[in-house]
Amino acid sequence: PAFVDDKEVYVLGEIGAVGVEVWQVKAGSIYDNILVCDSEEIAKARAEKIQERMAIEKTLKTRADEDARKAAEEERKKREAEEAAKKKDEPEEDDDDDEDDETPTKKEDL
């Protein structure tokens, strides 16, 4: 075939979706905020917005994790206090039976 130089070979119509084939990832990998454009200014502006949103999301996640940690700590303390109160209310058992623990030490006692 005869070669025809296409000056607009890179020009694409509107893209509605992007497919990414991932062969290997580490657990928890997330692909998000994919931008396909031909304008560096638009890409930078979108990146700034995304980074701002990510910073807010990180702050919210940190707060949620801290709240969960505090709740777990309070639950642990409550459970320990209940166990301590339960032990305090239970009568103590005397496991020291002095008679049973004595072993003959002299030949006459055998």
Side-chain angles (χ1 to χ4, degrees):
F3 175 76
V4 177
D5 188 23
D6 186 354
K7 303 267 187 218
E8 296 183 1
V9 72
Y10 62 88
V11 176
L12 301 173
E14 186 174 327
I15 298 174
V18 174
V20 179
E21 182 177 359
V22 181
W23 288 31
Q24 293 182 354
V25 296
K26 292 183 179 180
S29 296
I30 299 173
Y31 295 87
D32 194 5
N33 303 315
I34 297 171
L35 174 66
V36 178
C37 69
D38 61 355
S39 170
E40 189 175 341
E41 294 81 26
I42 291 173
K44 285 182 180 180
R46 295 279 177 94
E48 288 173 6
K49 287 181 182 178
I50 290 169
Q51 289 173 344
E52 289 171 5
R53 188 175 70 228
M54 287 173 60
I56 292 169
E57 289 173 352
K58 184 177 181 178
T59 301
L60 294 174
K61 172 81 167 93
T62 301
R63 286 181 190 164
D65 289 348
E66 182 63 20
D67 290 345
R69 186 196 63 75
K70 286 179 182 178
E73 179 68 18
E74 288 175 10
E75 182 63 30
R76 183 189 62 80
K77 287 180 181 179
K78 180 181 174 185
R79 189 174 49 251
E80 287 176 355
E82 289 173 354
E83 288 173 2
K86 186 178 178 182
K87 284 183 180 180
K88 187 177 181 182
D89 291 342
E90 291 178 359
E92 291 186 27
E93 295 180 15
D94 185 16
D95 290 338
D96 294 333
D97 292 336
D98 294 336
E99 297 170 7
D100 295 341
D101 291 341
E102 293 181 16
T103 56
T105 57
K106 297 181 183 177
K107 191 174 184 179
E108 302 96 37
D109 293 337
L110 292 175

